[in-house]
Amino acid sequence: MQFRNFKMVSYVGYGRGAFNQLDEIIAPHRKAGAPMIFLLDHFFDNGHALASRVPLRGNDKVIFADVTYEPKTTQVDKLAAELKAEFGTVSGVIGIGGGSVMDLAKAVSLMLNNPGSSADYQGWDLVKFPGVYKVGVPTLSGTGAEVSRTTVLTGPTRKLGMNSDFTPYDQILLDPELTKDAPANQRFYTGMDCYIHCIESLTGTYLNEFSKSYGDKALDLCREVFLSGKEWTNEDDDKLMMASYAGGMSIAYSQVGVAHAVSYGLSYLLGTKHGIGNCIVMNHIGEYYPEGVTAFKQMVAQNNIHIPEGICAGLSDEQFETMMNVSLGMKPLWENALGKNWEAIMTREKLRALYEKL
Amino acid sequence: MQFRNFKMVSYVGYGRGAFNQLDEIIAPHRKAGAPMIFLLDHFFDNGHALASRVPLRGNDKVIFADVTYEPKTTQVDKLAAELKAEFGTVSGVIGIGGGSVMDLAKAVSLMLNNPGSSADYQGWDLVKFPGVYKVGVPTLSGTGAEVSRTTVLTGPTRKLGMNSDFTPYDQILLDPELTKDAPANQRFYTGMDCYIHCIESLTGTYLNEFSKSYGDKALDLCREVFLSGKEWTNEDDDKLMMASYAGGMSIAYSQVGVAHAVSYGLSYLLGTKHGIGNCIVMNHIGEYYPEGVTAFKQMVAQNNIHIPEGICAGLSDEQFETMMNVSLGMKPLWENALGKNWEAIMTREKLRALYEKL
């Protein structure tokens, strides 16, 4: 098809305090004897108040997911296998956390109903069966994972999602109150995932009015919250959560660009997390996004954020080659950013020089 | 629940020319022997090119719907009964037209699977069973009916929709090219449905950031297209279609206000269509929406639009009473516009004086 037919999340709840409705929302989806599995970011382990608010019933289970590194296919397979072994079937999987937990929960839901390894489904439209009922509750704003049709996973041979119409959540619950405890640096890195995506897609060669209107809105909201010059407020959390949602929706008919293509290399080789990786790259690509990078640097300064430097110092030639191979493999991203002739513009020499600066 | 859990349309396709994908999109939903029913606005009867592009297969049927007046429960019941008598079951209903056809197609889909009369389901969450597969293809932009969970119907005792989670479309196909033949006055009246809704909701007392971000976007797009000072272009059609979609989404956590409450009275008594009715009222309510009405009048002037005047001249006291009763019955609209104390503000005398001006 020329135009993608975009699968939407089935139900959306938004509101400050909406987390209190989770029990009521999931109730009709409970099957006798089959538990709900709450997959929480390990950030909420060790007595965080949010963990005690999880609406546990019967044999429901809370699992704290270690997302120090981004989700791996092995981690997904292990979680799904353990749940099958312990319960046979489950009623649903509820992911509560940032982008990594969002993606992990989607992938585990799918692997509870699909045979083999999640690595078998890294790609487009390979997933065979719908997953179990799945709910996304973001506690960080910016990734857009709450509305995307992918789950970014690091597998044995590649970092690629399970992209399918079965992947989007059945339900998302957007409660900006849940983001209030995020450390300022983390909030910024994750928020920049949205901002940088918008800069890349809105200046790209793939775009139509659907994605443009969502992207423009997300960009406006990011600017409002990160360039206000005022202290962070509840209203900023409200807006950033909508920026994330709108940024995620804008992906329907657009594509990311240079920052993402380069940061995928960092993440593959060094395990750099997506949000901070994009920021590290964005700091050095004013050549491609002059206005976007200028505003990015203002945001960094105004919000007193630390962006790491020198993370590629001391890497071997072989390691640089690995990053470059991963990055240059993202052809649609480069084409979106630089046009059909991108290979003549982003030569291996130029990309190597860029990585050396990071 | 404190915060509505909003049922989304399942699939969205957007693109100039996307109508050409309709055949491919509906193919997996065809059931052996059961036709697809294409419900077209009578505007496309008598040889309009769009009618010849409908992807008919097997025993599929095209029905041209007379939407001179807004949909009635009797019209819905008759269509559903005729389809059941002719085919037993159908594979799906595809509504192609403006807001009336959008609503009619949703209602017919529901009544093919629910017993009794559509009048039995006018209200909230009364519909018992999902309808047959339904697809919405708007050919006018502004109503938001493509994403709403209602179908506005005039019944034996009231004008009220079948509001339910079964009501939204399974699929919408947004092709701005389909709106290019709309007469300028009609395009304006329907576009103003979106603009006026945004003015009412954004200044109202019911609102959160979800609805605000969608409403702000829809309002920006309406201003861009109707206050550009330039000739209408394809890009304006693209934008207005997104304004309609965003305006419809913003309904999730917001409410309309004075223009809608008053125009419902006109529509009930005089059959005034929704878009033009809102415009007729908007012309006279600068007291409640000073900035919104000023910009509205600029739009009317810039686009050389005729807004009827004097439509209530010669009505009887009894007729005024009927309109006032319908209008004052819309309590949530008045409360949203004027606050909890609205009855002290919008007295019967004041409302009568307003109707007399229209």
Side-chain angles (χ1 to χ4, degrees):
Chain A
M1 288 200 210
Q2 187 188 355
F3 303 102
R4 179 185 292 174
N5 195 18
F6 190 64
K7 173 74 172 73
M8 308 265 273
V9 162
S10 307
Y11 280 87
V12 176
Y14 177 98
R16 183 160 280 277
F19 187 75
N20 294 333
Q21 297 179 190
L22 183 58
D23 190 33
E24 190 179 351
I25 285 173
I26 64 178
H29 301 276
R30 290 183 177 279
K31 293 171 189 160
M36 287 287 178
I37 308 302
F38 297 88
L39 202 62
L40 265 71
D41 200 310
H42 62 164
F43 178 78
F44 300 109
D45 201 356
N46 298 313
H48 189 285
L50 186 63
S52 67
R53 292 173 62 200
V54 169
L56 292 176
R57 293 185 177 268
N59 57 346
D60 286 358
K61 181 167 187 166
V62 170
I63 298 174
F64 291 100
D66 184 349
V67 287
T68 309
Y69 300 99
E70 295 192 330
K72 294 185 174 62
T73 53
T74 49
Q75 189 181 10
V76 171
D77 294 348
K78 183 164 177 284
L79 276 166
E82 286 170 359
L83 289 171
K84 278 189 214 173
E86 184 171 356
F87 299 107
T89 58
V90 310
S91 290
V93 177
I94 294 112
I96 303 174
S100 292
V101 170
M102 294 285 100
D103 279 353
L104 198 56
K106 286 194 268 185
V108 169
S109 154
L110 292 172
M111 292 316 297
L112 285 166
N113 280 351
N114 283 276
S117 161
S118 53
D120 304 337
Y121 305 107
Q122 286 182 283
W124 283 267
D125 301 309
L126 303 173
V127 179
K128 291 184 179 66
F129 305 105
V132 302
Y133 175 69
K134 53 189 180 303
V135 180
V137 185
T139 63
L140 275 171
S141 295
T143 68
E146 62 276 24
V147 291
S148 77
R149 79 189 285 278
T150 193
T151 67
V152 182
L153 299 177
T154 305
T157 58
R158 60 205 153 180
K159 185 176 172 190
L160 184 61
M162 298 166 76
N163 296 271
S164 84
D165 281 0
F166 298 128
T167 308
Y169 278 114
D170 299 298
Q171 168 83 54
I172 58 175
L173 196 55
L174 305 175
D175 179 352
E177 202 173 76
L178 304 183
T179 64
K180 75 173 162 35
D181 293 340
N185 273 307
Q186 182 63 61
R187 179 172 68 203
F188 185 85
Y189 302 146
T190 309
M192 284 303 106
D193 190 8
C194 178
Y195 172 78
I196 293 170
H197 168 264
C198 291
I199 295 294
E200 291 176 308
S201 63
L202 292 169
T203 59
T205 57
Y206 300 175
L207 195 67
N208 69 10
E209 185 57 40
F210 184 95
S211 287
K212 183 174 181 301
S213 66
Y214 271 116
D216 281 340
K217 187 73 222 174
L219 191 59
D220 286 349
L221 290 166
C222 286
R223 287 187 183 129
E224 283 175 37
V225 304
F226 289 118
L227 287 175
S228 74
K230 295 183 200 144
E231 212 168 318
W232 194 267
T233 66
N234 284 349
E235 204 190 336
D236 292 314
D237 280 327
D238 294 355
K239 286 181 178 177
L240 191 55
M241 190 159 268
M242 281 312 296
S244 179
Y245 170 91
M249 290 295 296
S250 82
I251 290 174
Y253 302 101
S254 71
Q255 184 52 275
V256 288
V258 177
H260 277 78
V262 176
S263 88
Y264 273 124
L266 297 178
S267 139
Y268 187 86
L269 183 77
L270 306 172
T272 313
K273 293 193 83 170
H274 187 71
I276 195 169
N278 280 345
C279 288
I280 290 168
V281 179
M282 195 67 175
N283 229 356
H284 295 278
I285 52 174
E287 181 182 348
Y288 306 101
Y289 305 111
E291 290 172 27
V293 171
T294 301
F296 170 77
K297 290 184 176 177
Q298 287 169 350
M299 292 176 183
V300 170
Q302 269 199 27
N303 295 273
N304 292 314
I305 301 299
H306 170 68
I307 307 291
E309 301 260 359
I311 65 164
C312 292
L315 295 183
S316 68
D317 281 348
E318 195 188 346
Q319 287 176 309
F320 277 111
E321 288 298 311
T322 300
M323 289 196 295
M324 283 156 53
N325 290 341
V326 168
S327 178
L328 293 171
M330 316 299 280
K331 295 183 198 302
L333 282 64
W334 290 110
E335 185 176 313
N336 178 51
L338 306 175
K340 297 237 176 254
N341 199 30
W342 66 269
E343 285 172 299
I345 300 168
M346 183 47 76
T347 59
R348 291 186 80 87
E349 293 66 37
K350 199 153 184 190
L351 183 57
R352 168 79 186 243
L354 175 53
Y355 272 120
E356 286 180 0
K357 278 197 271 181
L358 302 181
Chain B
M1 290 199 208
Q2 186 187 356
F3 302 102
R4 178 185 292 173
N5 195 18
F6 190 65
K7 173 73 171 75
M8 308 266 274
V9 162
S10 307
Y11 280 87
V12 176
Y14 178 97
R16 184 160 278 278
F19 188 75
N20 294 331
Q21 297 178 189
L22 183 58
D23 190 34
E24 190 180 351
I25 285 173
I26 64 179
H29 301 276
R30 290 183 176 280
K31 293 172 190 161
M36 287 287 178
I37 307 301
F38 298 87
L39 202 61
L40 266 72
D41 199 311
H42 62 164
F43 178 78
F44 299 110
D45 200 356
N46 298 313
H48 190 284
L50 186 62
S52 66
R53 293 174 60 202
V54 168
L56 293 175
R57 293 185 178 267
N59 57 345
D60 286 357
K61 182 168 186 166
V62 170
I63 298 174
F64 291 100
D66 183 349
V67 287
T68 309
Y69 300 98
E70 295 193 329
K72 294 185 174 61
T73 53
T74 49
Q75 188 181 12
V76 170
D77 295 347
K78 184 164 175 285
L79 275 166
E82 287 170 359
L83 289 171
K84 276 188 214 173
E86 184 171 357
F87 299 108
T89 58
V90 310
S91 291
V93 177
I94 293 110
I96 303 174
S100 292
V101 170
M102 295 285 99
D103 279 354
L104 197 56
K106 285 193 268 186
V108 170
S109 155
L110 293 171
M111 292 316 297
L112 285 166
N113 281 349
N114 283 276
S117 162
S118 52
D120 303 337
Y121 304 108
Q122 286 182 284
W124 282 267
D125 301 309
L126 302 173
V127 180
K128 290 184 179 67
F129 305 106
V132 302
Y133 174 69
K134 52 189 180 303
V135 181
V137 185
T139 63
L140 275 171
S141 295
T143 68
E146 61 275 25
V147 291
S148 77
R149 79 189 285 277
T150 193
T151 68
V152 182
L153 299 177
T154 305
T157 59
R158 58 204 154 182
K159 185 176 171 188
L160 185 61
M162 298 165 75
N163 296 271
S164 84
D165 281 0
F166 298 127
T167 308
Y169 278 115
D170 299 298
Q171 167 84 53
I172 57 174
L173 195 55
L174 306 175
D175 179 352
E177 202 174 76
L178 304 184
T179 64
K180 75 173 163 32
D181 293 340
N185 273 307
Q186 182 62 62
R187 181 173 66 204
F188 185 86
Y189 301 146
T190 309
M192 284 302 107
D193 190 7
C194 178
Y195 172 78
I196 293 170
H197 168 263
C198 290
I199 295 295
E200 291 175 309
S201 63
L202 292 169
T203 59
T205 57
Y206 300 175
L207 195 66
N208 69 10
E209 185 57 40
F210 185 95
S211 286
K212 183 173 180 303
S213 66
Y214 271 116
D216 281 339
K217 187 73 221 173
L219 191 59
D220 285 349
L221 290 166
C222 287
R223 286 185 183 133
E224 283 175 36
V225 303
F226 289 118
L227 286 175
S228 74
K230 296 184 198 141
E231 211 168 318
W232 194 268
T233 64
N234 285 348
E235 205 190 337
D236 292 314
D237 280 327
D238 294 354
K239 287 181 178 177
L240 192 56
M241 190 159 268
M242 280 312 297
S244 179
Y245 170 91
M249 290 295 295
S250 82
I251 290 174
Y253 303 100
S254 71
Q255 184 51 277
V256 288
V258 177
H260 277 79
V262 176
S263 88
Y264 274 124
L266 297 178
S267 137
Y268 187 85
L269 183 78
L270 306 173
T272 314
K273 293 194 83 170
H274 187 71
I276 195 169
N278 281 344
C279 288
I280 291 168
V281 179
M282 194 68 175
N283 228 357
H284 295 277
I285 52 174
E287 180 181 349
Y288 306 100
Y289 305 112
E291 291 173 27
V293 171
T294 301
F296 169 77
K297 290 184 175 178
Q298 286 169 351
M299 292 176 184
V300 171
Q302 269 199 27
N303 295 273
N304 293 314
I305 301 298
H306 170 68
I307 307 289
E309 300 261 359
I311 66 163
C312 292
L315 295 183
S316 68
D317 281 348
E318 194 187 344
Q319 288 177 309
F320 277 111
E321 288 297 312
T322 300
M323 289 196 296
M324 283 156 54
N325 290 340
V326 168
S327 179
L328 293 171
M330 316 298 281
K331 295 184 198 303
L333 281 64
W334 290 110
E335 185 176 311
N336 178 52
L338 306 176
K340 298 237 178 255
N341 199 30
W342 67 270
E343 285 171 299
I345 300 168
M346 183 47 76
T347 58
R348 291 186 81 86
E349 293 67 37
K350 199 154 185 187
L351 183 57
R352 167 81 186 241
L354 174 53
Y355 272 120
E356 286 180 358
K357 277 199 271 182
L358 302 181

